Amino acid sequence: MDRKQILIGVLALGLGIVLYVLDRSPTQTYFLPDALSLFSATPSVFGTLGYHLPTFLHVFAFCLITSGVLGCGQRGALIVCFFWLFIDAAFEAGQHPSVSEIIIPMIPSLFFDIPILDNTANYFAQGRFDPIDLISILFGVVGAYLLIWVMSKKERQTLYPRLNVR
């Protein structure tokens, strides 16, 4: 288990929550109660970056948290990062109108009675596909893997300084 990776991932999710609290209407967010929202019609705190930053932060955080919990090495982290790349890209692609019209009828009615899953159909029906989000997903995965790689290299050099690991 790598607590540093987990902590950085949790902090990234925290930044995403701050973004949603400040810059997103509670009607646009599933988990944000109206009482916690500080959203106003004034210019956003995060500006245009706020449109794509959550997508970046989500995949970045989940790559770090998953890799940290599993205690992955570099190869394992690469697998974790590809897994989250696939998952996040699939969910983004699922918001494309031509894809969502296929997915929505396939969502089991059982989902409508389960908290969290009850919003699945709305996610695909109301979501907005954006190719720039696919790029931010890719940047999030690459950023997470590079951070994991740098952290593991630094740790190896600390533990085994005589090996001069490169």
Side-chain angles (χ1 to χ4, degrees):
M1 181 176 292
D2 188 322
R3 290 188 171 107
K4 289 178 190 174
Q5 286 180 25
I6 296 168
L7 177 62
I8 294 169
V10 169
L11 290 173
L13 286 179
L15 178 59
I17 291 169
V18 168
L19 186 147
Y20 275 92
V21 167
L22 296 175
D23 283 359
R24 296 283 172 96
S25 165
T27 60
Q28 294 178 318
T29 56
Y30 179 71
F31 292 109
L32 183 63
D34 293 353
L36 294 179
S37 177
L38 300 175
F39 172 77
S40 70
T42 59
S44 69
V45 174
F46 289 89
T48 56
L49 182 64
Y51 293 120
H52 307 289
L53 187 58
T55 310
F56 170 89
L57 290 171
H58 179 267
V59 72
F60 178 80
F62 276 88
C63 287
L64 288 171
I65 292 169
T66 305
S67 176
V69 167
L70 296 176
C72 296
Q74 289 179 353
R75 286 190 188 122
L78 189 61
I79 293 167
V80 164
C81 288
F82 272 115
F83 170 79
W84 282 112
L85 174 66
F86 174 77
I87 295 296
D88 277 44
F91 270 86
E92 184 63 34
Q95 294 179 83
H96 191 281
S98 62
V99 178
S100 65
E101 69 184 24
I102 296 167
I103 293 173
I104 292 170
M106 295 170 37
I107 296 171
S109 59
L110 166 71
F111 279 23
F112 299 112
D113 297 324
I114 300 173
I116 298 175
L117 296 179
D118 62 343
N119 197 46
T120 305
N122 276 346
Y123 175 83
F124 292 112
Q126 306 296 324
R128 180 180 56 92
F129 171 78
D130 189 341
I132 296 173
D133 280 341
L134 289 174
I135 294 168
S136 69
I137 290 167
L138 182 61
F139 282 174
V141 167
V142 170
Y145 183 75
L146 288 175
L147 182 62
I148 292 166
W149 180 77
V150 166
M151 290 171 67
S152 67
K153 182 177 179 181
K154 191 174 185 179
E155 187 172 314
R156 282 193 315 274
Q157 288 175 338
T158 302
L159 292 173
Y160 311 107
R162 292 184 183 176
L163 293 179
N164 195 16
V165 178
R166 294 183 183 194

